[in-house]
Amino acid sequence: MEHKIEELRAAADSEIKVAADLKELDNVRVKFLGKKGELTNLLRGMSQLSAEDRPRVGKIVNEARADIENLIAVKNSELKEKALQDKLASEKIDVTLPGRKIQRGHLHPLTLTLNRVKEIFINMGYAVEEGPEVELDLYNFEALNLPKDHPARDAQDSFYITENILLRTQTSPVQARTMQKNPPNTPIRMIAPGRVYRRDDFDASHSPMFTQIEGLVIDEKITFGDLVGTLDFFCKEMFGKDTKIRLRPSFFPFTEPSTEVDVNCPICHGKGGGCKVCHDSGWLEILGAGEVHPRVLEMSGYDPKKVSGYAFGMGVERLTMIKYAIDDLRLFFENDIRFLNQF
Ligand code: DAH
């Protein structure tokens, strides 16, 4: 009997030693110490022993049991530690690896230009006004001194919704709207950015939808000189300190006198040499402007004997094309990521 116990102990010891994981170790425990385990069975056989042998053998069995339990406990904590170390090794993070780059969105080039124009005029004390894109003929044309039969209406081929409602062809109607929401003769200094619509083909320099920024200043004794000074300052802010402007006489029904304004080419600075932007002309037209026509003031309740004003209107696509030397207006609307990523 004692010999048998010693054999079991030794067998348990070597099986515990080679157990590779907690599951295997538990199998060993069941095999020797479980309800039907080998040592348990041996203990049951004790009843056949004589009364004087029983206490001695019992003691040996209990010692063997304690021994095996102890070996299992030690191995158990060894295996647990090993499992933890393996886990730590496999989940190790290299904190010196560079992070994955997050793709960030950014502003559209037209928005960048719009924001810059707004910033320049807001710094000069201008307010930002808005008007609807679906507009009344009354504001888009009539109140701007373009009665129904006026030939200049043809130059802005319009999308009519009904006889009297259209998609605005220009941001100029915001001039009339701003005057009419004020008490008569209240001074105004505003810009009005927004989308406008014309029945144009979609090509390198035309789009049926584009963006304009209107400007209107009204007060006592506003002169054409104020207009020129403002636009000269604006262009220098927009295109650089060396920018020069050139005025050419023009016609708009809502201004008198009227002018078109050119800037010297900010890309080649007038040197030519095959300039893609100004085609070697050295000058680029950027806006229309003039002194507000007395009729326009009158129609919106302002008194041309008391106040005067100037107005201007420019295309945001055109400003952006000049600033970044872009030669095709369609690029703004096609959303090609290779183009947009450059801004
Ligand atoms: N509305 C004109 C256009 O779309 C641009 C313009 C010219 C606006 C002269 C003005 C201005 O306010 O005074 O062609």
Side-chain angles (χ1 to χ4, degrees):
M1 187 94 185
E2 279 125 297
H3 186 63
K4 189 85 213 274
I5 293 170
E6 191 42 47
E7 254 178 35
L8 275 183
R9 223 178 54 94
D13 186 17
S14 58
E15 283 187 40
I16 288 168
K17 276 206 182 101
V18 298
D21 55 32
L22 291 167
K23 179 105 186 61
E24 275 184 40
L25 184 64
D26 199 52
N27 290 342
V28 178
R29 184 188 60 76
V30 172
K31 181 176 172 190
F32 291 95
L33 307 180
K35 273 201 184 110
K36 293 175 184 155
E38 300 190 17
L39 200 72
T40 320
N41 284 341
L42 213 71
L43 218 55
R44 284 204 193 99
M46 294 257 299
S47 53
Q48 272 132 55
L49 292 179
S50 63
E52 66 247 41
D53 280 346
R54 225 177 274 166
R56 188 174 50 80
V57 176
K59 192 173 169 239
I60 296 172
V61 173
N62 280 335
E63 274 170 13
R65 189 184 179 86
D67 250 13
I68 295 172
E69 274 173 352
N70 207 17
L71 287 170
I72 288 176
V74 170
K75 183 70 178 186
N76 186 36
S77 54
E78 262 174 47
L79 287 174
K80 272 195 181 146
E81 175 65 18
K82 183 172 174 294
L84 178 66
Q85 292 307 331
D86 286 353
K87 196 163 182 233
L88 287 177
S90 72
E91 290 177 2
K92 188 169 169 188
I93 295 168
D94 182 352
V95 292
T96 66
L97 276 179
R100 256 175 229 129
K101 258 209 174 143
I102 295 168
Q103 285 258 4
R104 285 182 69 196
H106 55 80
L107 296 178
H108 189 278
L110 292 179
T111 310
L112 292 173
T113 303
L114 205 59
N115 287 351
R116 180 68 188 128
V117 174
K118 277 193 210 164
E119 185 178 53
I120 295 168
F121 281 103
I122 287 170
N123 285 346
M124 289 193 271
Y126 284 62
V128 179
E129 297 286 349
E130 271 180 30
E133 289 176 26
V134 177
E135 183 56 286
L136 295 173
D137 184 282
L138 178 72
Y139 288 113
N140 194 79
F141 290 130
E142 210 94 9
L144 296 172
N145 202 23
L146 276 131
K148 281 260 187 293
D149 54 356
H150 198 289
R153 283 189 178 213
D154 296 344
Q156 301 185 359
D157 229 342
S158 323
F159 290 110
Y160 273 92
I161 294 163
T162 69
E163 214 186 308
N164 295 313
I165 299 173
L166 73 162
L167 297 181
R168 66 177 175 191
T169 59
Q170 47 188 354
T171 45
S172 306
V174 187
Q175 290 188 26
R177 283 183 173 276
T178 307
M179 283 188 264
Q180 289 182 28
K181 78 176 182 187
N182 282 330
N185 304 327
T186 314
I188 292 174
R189 186 179 295 177
M190 69 85 171
I191 53 166
R195 293 205 171 114
V196 300
Y197 302 85
R198 289 183 198 177
R199 290 171 51 166
D200 275 329
D201 290 333
F202 195 40
D203 62 31
S205 52
H206 296 86
S207 160
M209 186 273 290
F210 58 103
T211 322
Q212 285 191 335
I213 297 176
E214 195 73 17
L216 176 68
V217 171
I218 302 178
D219 208 334
E220 288 170 20
K221 302 194 180 82
I222 294 290
T223 68
F224 200 83
D226 296 325
L227 169 67
V228 177
T230 302
L231 294 179
D232 184 56
F233 178 79
F234 164 73
C235 290
K236 285 184 165 62
E237 288 288 301
M238 192 71 199
F239 297 112
K241 288 273 169 277
D242 300 332
T243 307
K244 289 185 179 65
I245 64 169
R246 177 176 82 172
L247 273 60
R248 285 177 291 107
S250 184
F251 172 80
F252 297 103
F254 30 88
T255 45
E256 182 60 32
S258 302
T259 178
E260 274 172 314
V261 178
D262 302 341
V263 288
N264 66 333
C265 178
I267 304 298
C268 73
H269 302 284
K271 289 194 196 81
C275 180
K276 248 182 31 175
V277 175
C278 70
H279 305 291
D280 291 348
S281 73
W283 294 95
L284 293 156
E285 183 197 322
I286 61 155
L287 56 82
E291 276 192 71
V292 181
H293 197 292
R295 282 283 299 141
V296 171
L297 291 172
E298 254 167 22
M299 279 187 283
S300 286
Y302 276 58
D303 183 353
K305 290 191 194 72
K306 289 193 177 136
V307 292
S308 57
Y310 62 75
F312 53 87
M314 56 190 131
V316 179
E317 285 77 7
R318 189 157 170 77
L319 290 180
T320 312
M321 288 169 86
I322 294 171
K323 197 166 164 71
Y324 299 108
I326 295 165
D327 60 2
D328 193 327
L329 183 145
R330 286 169 292 197
L331 288 165
F332 294 129
F333 306 115
E334 284 167 345
N335 284 335
D336 186 327
I337 200 77
R338 292 168 299 181
F339 170 71
L340 296 176
N341 267 343
Q342 297 175 50
F343 297 91

